[in-house]
Amino acid sequence: MSTVLPPRVTPRRRMPDEALAPVRLTGAQRRTVHMLASLLLDYPDAAWFDRFGELRAHAAGLPPAVAAPLTAFIDRADGAGASAWQRDYVNTFDLKRKCSLYLSYFATGDTRRRGTALVAFLDAYRAAGWEFDAAELPDYLPAVLEFSARSDSEVASALLTAHREGIEVLRAALEGMDSPWALVVRAVTLSLPKVDQRTQERVLALVNEGPPTETVGLSLPMPVFRTKGES
């Protein structure tokens, strides 16, 4: 029976699992994937469009399963107008809660514990011997991916692992919208270890419920980092 009223019940979303199987990559290939994704997930200013030739060349050296989504994204962006692409970027990442590029947002939402999470990111950079020097917040996914690509640090891997739920929720949300940026996040997912069942269940909960609005009883998914020489 058709009705003009919105449905009172809707099916729970299921997280697609075909992208969760990792692709075997060398360390250099993984760093390349993360640097490409870092650049492609950043705001598409005029210089962003000028990099496509170089980025295609780097993607060509990756295994096909990872190269294909990156190349498809570049081809799609290359054929779009800059103004429309920039508008789509803002509408996607700035206006949709489940499409946030700030990793700690998925664990803390807009709550007072967000500040603690951001400090933990800064501690992580410093523990690896790096300083975060950018206009964005330290949990900005393109910045974390650049950190992973440039440092090849276990700390960067730990950050991505600790916030795997957020990455998977972002991927699921983008794929559900048929967003072109889903291709880039899919490539990132393919470069990471396979998620375990517990993580997958937490991802599914976030996919259905979104980032928290209250953090009572919620523990932040952050490892503890110490700088060299600190006991």
Side-chain angles (χ1 to χ4, degrees):
M1 180 183 297
S2 62
T3 177
V4 296
L5 296 175
R8 295 179 185 273
V9 294
T10 56
R12 287 176 63 86
R13 297 181 185 178
R14 297 188 62 186
M15 185 179 66
D17 57 10
E18 70 274 13
L20 296 179
V23 173
R24 187 183 297 274
L25 299 169
T26 66
Q29 288 172 334
R30 184 173 295 103
R31 291 192 295 274
T32 297
V33 172
H34 290 180
M35 182 56 77
L36 290 173
S38 171
L39 294 168
L40 293 173
L41 287 172
D42 215 347
Y43 180 77
D45 57 14
W48 188 84
F49 291 90
D50 293 336
R51 301 189 184 107
F52 286 161
E54 182 180 0
L55 299 186
R56 277 196 188 93
H58 284 290
L62 297 170
V66 179
L70 292 170
T71 302
F73 175 84
I74 293 171
D75 290 344
R76 189 165 170 180
D78 202 14
S83 296
W85 199 261
Q86 291 166 347
R87 184 168 57 251
D88 192 22
Y89 183 95
V90 171
N91 289 338
T92 299
F93 295 116
D94 292 355
L95 302 180
K96 294 178 173 61
R97 294 176 68 233
K98 293 179 184 177
C99 295
S100 175
L101 287 174
Y102 296 92
L103 292 177
S104 68
Y105 180 75
F106 293 98
T108 66
D110 288 319
T111 67
R112 57 189 175 184
R113 298 200 63 183
R114 181 86 188 279
T116 302
L118 295 176
V119 170
F121 270 88
L122 291 174
D123 288 343
Y125 289 116
R126 291 167 184 155
W130 292 69
E131 287 291 336
F132 185 80
D133 183 18
E136 297 289 350
L137 295 173
D139 62 341
Y140 184 51
L141 178 56
V144 178
L145 290 169
E146 180 183 346
F147 174 47
S148 174
R150 292 186 183 278
S151 70
D152 190 27
S153 169
E154 293 182 0
V155 174
S157 297
L159 277 179
L160 292 170
T161 299
H163 290 273
R164 183 63 181 273
E165 292 95 333
I167 295 171
E168 293 296 338
V169 172
L170 173 62
R171 178 185 61 81
L174 293 171
E175 289 184 351
M177 297 163 49
D178 194 26
S179 168
W181 283 279
L183 294 164
V184 183
V185 180
R186 175 180 288 266
V188 173
T189 300
L190 290 169
S191 75
L192 300 175
K194 185 177 181 179
V195 296
D196 57 26
Q197 183 62 34
R198 183 178 178 184
T199 300
Q200 196 164 354
E201 290 171 357
R202 291 198 300 266
V203 170
L204 184 56
L206 278 171
V207 166
N208 283 282
E209 299 166 13
T213 56
E214 181 56 58
T215 58
V216 174
L218 179 68
S219 59
L220 297 179
M222 286 295 295
V224 176
F225 299 101
R226 293 184 174 85
T227 56
K228 293 181 179 179
E230 183 181 355
S231 59

